[in-house]
């Protein structure tokens, strides 16, 4: 697998994340995209490169999570791409379970759901907001998922590298979800652990503004032509 870790000002946790991913008993490629960090993330990554086999992509300016993920995709050489946040809200040990569904030939997308088994460690506000967004997604696309905005998303490389992604920031989640569902692919879910941090601890997602933008993004891509879903649709089988 190839693990893409977008990071912006994550000097407090980037070492822990990289070391946890590197310790997984799976053949892996680790790609860290430093999205224009202004703290000690750059220095931490330079040190980590001397201890671990990493591909590090440094962006000159902060452009957002979506841009960072898109910047990492050209460097992928694994059969499956996993998105791993750099903040340790999600435990890298869950990646093992995230990969299991790919043992079936028809699985191309797996999400790690924070709410498949209930609320967990999430605040009531966080839980309700995310379930509302998931329900909205299900109504729009006729699917059955419990966590649209999860940071744990895994795809076959063949699928994710062909998607015509244009996202810059946190709209990566609704854009990739919308385009995958519009193309007729099923999203499989597995439960993952969740340890949310606060704004004081560095959380960057803003629930209401980013949530409303996510809802608009999901609605917008519900009606785009299927020919716009992929970079090259000539060999794609639209279902």
């Amino acid at each position: 697998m190839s693990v893409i870790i977008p990071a912006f000002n994550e000097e407090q946790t980037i070492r822990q994340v990289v070391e946890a991913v590197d310790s997984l008993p799976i053949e892996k490629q680790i790609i860290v995209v430093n999205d224009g960090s202004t703290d000690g993330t750059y220095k931490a990554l330079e040190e980590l490169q001397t201890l671990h086999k990493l591909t590090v992509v440094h962006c000159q300016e902060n452009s957002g999570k979506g841009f960072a993920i898109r910047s990492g995709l050209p460097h992928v050489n694994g059969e499956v791409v996993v998105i791993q946040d750099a903040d340790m809200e999600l435990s890298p040990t869950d990646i093992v379970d995230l990969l299991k569904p790919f043992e079936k030939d028809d699985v191309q997308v797996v999400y790690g759901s924070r709410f498949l088994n209930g609320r967990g460690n999430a605040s009531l506000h966080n839980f309700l907001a995310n379930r509302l967004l998931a329900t909205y997604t299900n109504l729009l696309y006729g699917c059955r998922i419990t966590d649209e905005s999860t940071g744990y998303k895994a795809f076959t490389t063949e699928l994710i590298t062909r998607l015509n992604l244009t996202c810059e920031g946190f709209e990566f989640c609704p854009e990739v979800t919308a385009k995958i569902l519009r193309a007729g692919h099923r999203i499989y879910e597995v439960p993952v652990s969740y340890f949310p941090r606060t704004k004081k601890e560095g959380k960057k997602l803003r629930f209401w503004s980013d949530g409303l933008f996510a809802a608009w993004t999901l609605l917008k891509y519900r009606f785009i032509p299927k020919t716009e879903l992929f970079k090259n649709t000539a060999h794609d089988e639209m279902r």
Side-chain angles (χ1 to χ4, degrees):
M1 67 170 178
S2 294
V3 182
I4 297 179
I5 307 174
F8 173 60
N9 289 349
E10 299 290 1
E11 66 173 319
Q12 301 299 321
T13 54
I14 190 63
R15 293 180 180 84
Q16 186 179 0
V17 170
V18 169
E19 290 170 356
V21 172
D22 198 33
S23 68
L24 294 174
I26 305 169
E27 186 177 354
K28 69 194 78 67
Q29 173 197 23
I30 303 175
I31 303 168
V32 183
V33 182
N34 174 22
D35 187 26
S37 297
T38 55
D39 64 351
T41 300
Y42 183 99
K43 181 180 179 181
L45 289 173
E46 293 295 296
E47 294 173 354
L48 284 167
Q49 277 190 293
T50 66
L51 303 171
H52 304 272
K53 188 176 181 181
L54 301 179
T55 298
V56 178
V57 180
H58 290 293
C59 301
Q60 295 300 314
E61 298 179 356
N62 174 240
S63 298
K65 180 178 181 177
F67 182 86
I69 292 171
R70 291 194 293 118
S71 298
L73 286 174
H75 301 274
V76 164
N77 59 32
E79 295 178 0
V80 173
V81 177
V82 177
I83 308 302
Q84 166 73 57
D85 287 343
D87 55 16
M88 285 301 292
E89 284 197 345
L90 300 171
S91 173
T93 56
D94 286 329
I95 289 178
V96 175
D97 291 330
L98 197 68
L99 294 176
K100 287 180 180 178
F102 288 103
E103 294 173 3
K104 298 180 180 180
D105 292 336
D106 62 334
V107 176
Q108 297 199 57
V109 187
V110 180
Y111 282 11
S113 173
R114 298 164 292 177
F115 311 115
L116 196 61
N117 292 334
R119 174 177 157 188
N121 294 317
S123 66
L124 181 61
H125 173 264
N126 186 344
F127 175 70
L128 291 176
N130 277 285
R131 288 312 301 266
L132 180 63
L133 188 60
T135 301
Y136 176 75
T137 304
N138 294 337
L139 291 172
L140 272 179
Y141 292 91
C143 59
R144 295 181 65 183
I145 61 175
T146 62
D147 193 3
E148 184 279 329
S149 60
T150 176
Y152 260 153
K153 291 177 166 65
F155 319 85
T156 59
T157 300
E158 190 274 338
L159 174 61
I160 189 63
T161 55
R162 287 193 304 114
L163 280 179
N164 182 27
L165 298 174
T166 61
C167 50
E168 295 284 329
F170 287 116
E171 76 273 17
F172 165 77
C173 288
E175 180 181 355
V176 77
T177 298
K179 290 184 175 179
I180 281 169
L181 292 172
R182 281 281 287 144
H185 297 290
R186 175 183 171 184
I187 297 174
Y188 291 78
E189 288 187 314
V190 297
V192 295
S193 51
Y194 180 43
F195 307 96
R197 62 179 180 173
T198 64
K199 284 186 177 181
K200 186 177 181 180
E201 294 171 322
K203 191 172 185 68
K204 303 175 182 70
L205 187 69
R206 297 160 297 180
F207 284 114
W208 292 115
S209 57
D210 288 320
L212 289 172
F213 191 43
W216 161 244
T217 302
L218 287 163
L219 180 63
K220 177 176 66 173
Y221 288 122
R222 176 64 182 85
F223 302 103
I224 65 168
K226 286 189 174 182
T227 53
E228 297 181 16
L229 299 176
F230 293 93
K231 297 174 184 176
N232 181 1
T233 60
H235 303 291
D236 184 64
E237 179 182 351
M238 293 299 183
R239 289 175 289 175

